[in-house]
Amino acid sequence: GPHQEGKQRQGTACLSPLPGVSAGNGCGHTLLTPHSGTLSSKNYPGTYPNHTMCCWRLQAPPGTSLLLAFGDVDLEPSEHCAHSSLLLADPQTGTAYGPYCRNSVPSAPLLVTNSSTVTVLFNSTSHRSGRGLLLSYATSQHPGTGGASPGMRSPDLPLTMCFSVYCPAGCKDIHGDIWGNPNQGYRDTSVLCKAAVHAGVIADELGGQVTLSREKGITLYESAFANGLHSKRGSLSEKRLVFHKVCCLLSPACDDVLEVVAFNASSWWHEVDTLGQDRAWVAEQAALSTTGHSWAAEPGAEAAWLELDLGTRRNVTGIITKGSSEQHNYYVTSYHVSSSRDGKNWRPYRGSSGQEDKVFEGNADSQGEVSNAFIPPIVARYVR
């Protein structure tokens, strides 16, 4: 079939430019760095021109793999995407993804490759409509964050306080309110890139990298007009985002570890080993610093959960998970998070997009620790 996502495909018609360089008359704003970047078609988000092409070659450092976020793929539909198409290819293995257009869109907003090199080819013939395309990418060492625009954060920065995003050009036209002003910061749910234009940190025509820190907020934000954008007056939560033109120099993450008053679980494993000895994998064993074995649900249990009681309502900015121990090679590969203020009514965590329950990537072995940030944070007493 024409939709050969992840299939072997030979003879991709793209004479790759040098790594980190775009070539062709259909290239829009492009920001390519070794670890992350943004690329778009010409005139994006306006209609892309007829009879154009652009080829980008993304080259990540050896030993890493590329992750591509499809921010927008709006190419005029046609049979087999013959009039306008987006095609991604891995020249190292001959694997191709696409072709994509409006009637053949990517199956997921994030494409995880196993390659450090990906060629992106966009071409158009004669057409009537279409915004074109907007992609962001990062390496496996620099996973992306959610948001209205595909963003990339640096793991070298503490996630609980500071992170960076690459903003595409033309984000001013994205629908969404802006709250606050450059001196006071912005609401967690704001359109970050649009707010960065409002703050004068980046130009809407070019986009670029912005760094944000999370600081204590104020109760009321006055409206302001700047750089062609008008923010709204309103009250906010305790947290705010402040833009910086340089990276934040902060202390290591998780200096402020929250105390867990009590652990609870849907079930626990009462193990009897081959020597007849009992071992209780109870909820209290779930604390990260606990020696020996961990908590484990009863074998065969479905929809198992672990619950943390923080004693009072707290601001939770992230979580660290680890497997059971070196002696017991057990670990959790993925999980959902929900929170409650009273222990009765639970709210699933959906991240900044708010569309679907977020699935957090867990551990790949029983020894390593994996950190996940809550952006925006969770304000709750109970976390499952």
Side-chain angles (χ1 to χ4, degrees):
H3 190 63
Q4 302 188 41
E5 184 163 345
K7 302 293 176 62
Q8 299 296 317
R9 182 185 177 112
Q10 302 296 329
T12 302
C14 181
L15 298 176
S16 300
L18 296 173
V21 175
S22 59
N25 58 352
C27 305
H29 168 64
T30 300
L31 176 65
L32 307 179
T33 73
H35 281 287
S36 60
T38 301
L39 54 96
S40 62
S41 55
K42 192 171 184 178
N43 294 341
Y44 182 86
T47 305
Y48 58 95
N50 290 328
H51 306 292
T52 59
M53 69 83 63
C54 186
C55 183
W56 298 265
R57 186 182 177 204
L58 314 181
Q59 179 70 62
T64 65
S65 56
L66 283 162
L67 297 80
L68 291 97
F70 296 97
D72 195 3
V73 179
D74 186 60
L75 306 178
E76 185 171 273
S78 59
E79 187 177 2
H80 305 328
C81 297
H83 292 173
S84 300
S85 67
L86 168 67
L87 182 67
L88 290 78
D90 174 4
Q92 297 174 348
T93 64
T95 305
Y97 305 88
Y100 302 121
C101 58
R102 195 179 302 158
N103 56 314
S104 180
V105 296
S107 57
L110 185 67
L111 172 64
V112 181
T113 74
N114 293 317
S115 175
S116 60
T117 303
V118 169
T119 298
V120 180
L121 174 64
F122 161 71
N123 62 63
S124 69
T125 58
S126 180
H127 68 284
R128 294 182 178 180
S129 66
R131 292 183 300 274
L133 63 95
L134 169 66
L135 274 72
S136 286
Y137 69 90
T139 68
S140 54
Q141 294 179 345
H142 287 59
T145 60
S149 304
M152 304 300 157
R153 59 167 168 78
S154 169
D156 302 323
L157 301 171
L159 298 178
T160 55
M161 302 179 190
C162 185
F163 61 98
S164 296
V165 296
Y166 276 95
C167 293
C171 64
K172 185 188 291 187
D173 293 332
I174 296 174
H175 295 293
D177 296 336
I178 299 178
W179 300 74
N181 62 51
N183 295 325
Q184 296 173 327
Y186 295 84
R187 188 177 183 178
D188 288 11
T189 53
S190 295
V191 182
L192 293 183
C193 296
K194 192 173 176 184
V197 174
H198 176 82
V201 180
I202 56 172
D204 187 51
E205 297 78 17
L206 297 176
Q209 183 181 15
V210 293
T211 301
L212 305 98
S213 66
R214 192 180 304 280
E215 301 178 11
K216 187 171 178 60
I218 57 177
T219 58
L220 183 68
Y221 283 59
E222 296 295 337
S223 63
F225 185 84
N227 297 316
L229 294 172
H230 193 271
S231 63
K232 290 192 174 183
R233 183 179 187 270
S235 60
L236 297 180
S237 62
E238 295 179 355
K239 293 297 177 181
R240 64 189 173 102
L241 297 174
V242 177
F243 292 98
H244 302 268
K245 293 188 178 181
V246 295
C247 289
C248 309
L249 299 176
L250 296 169
S251 58
C254 288
D255 280 349
D256 184 19
V257 178
L258 299 178
E259 179 184 0
V260 178
V261 175
F263 290 90
N264 191 17
S266 55
S267 65
W268 58 275
W269 180 24
H270 181 207
E271 178 192 15
V272 180
D273 64 18
T274 54
L275 300 178
Q277 296 176 320
D278 290 356
R279 183 179 290 113
W281 298 69
V282 293
E284 287 76 16
Q285 290 291 118
L288 193 64
S289 58
T290 302
T291 57
H293 59 284
S294 67
W295 164 73
E298 185 179 9
E302 295 184 5
W305 49 261
L306 173 72
E307 180 183 309
L308 315 179
D309 180 359
L310 304 177
T312 185
R313 192 177 298 177
R314 304 297 300 269
N315 193 66
V316 188
T317 56
I319 186 170
I320 298 175
T321 59
K322 186 181 179 181
S324 56
S325 68
E326 294 182 3
Q327 291 76 28
H328 306 88
N329 189 30
Y330 307 138
Y331 50 92
V332 173
T333 58
S334 63
Y335 56 93
H336 297 269
V337 172
S338 58
S339 61
S340 173
R341 299 190 176 190
D342 56 9
K344 298 177 182 178
N345 301 296
W346 294 88
R347 174 180 296 181
Y349 186 80
R350 293 185 170 178
S352 54
S353 64
Q355 299 299 318
E356 298 178 350
D357 296 356
K358 182 174 177 63
V359 178
F360 291 90
E361 185 175 344
N363 299 76
D365 56 51
S366 61
Q367 290 84 38
E369 295 183 357
V370 173
S371 300
N372 277 299
F374 301 140
I375 303 174
I378 294 173
V379 180
R381 172 177 172 175
Y382 302 93
V383 178
R384 280 187 180 178

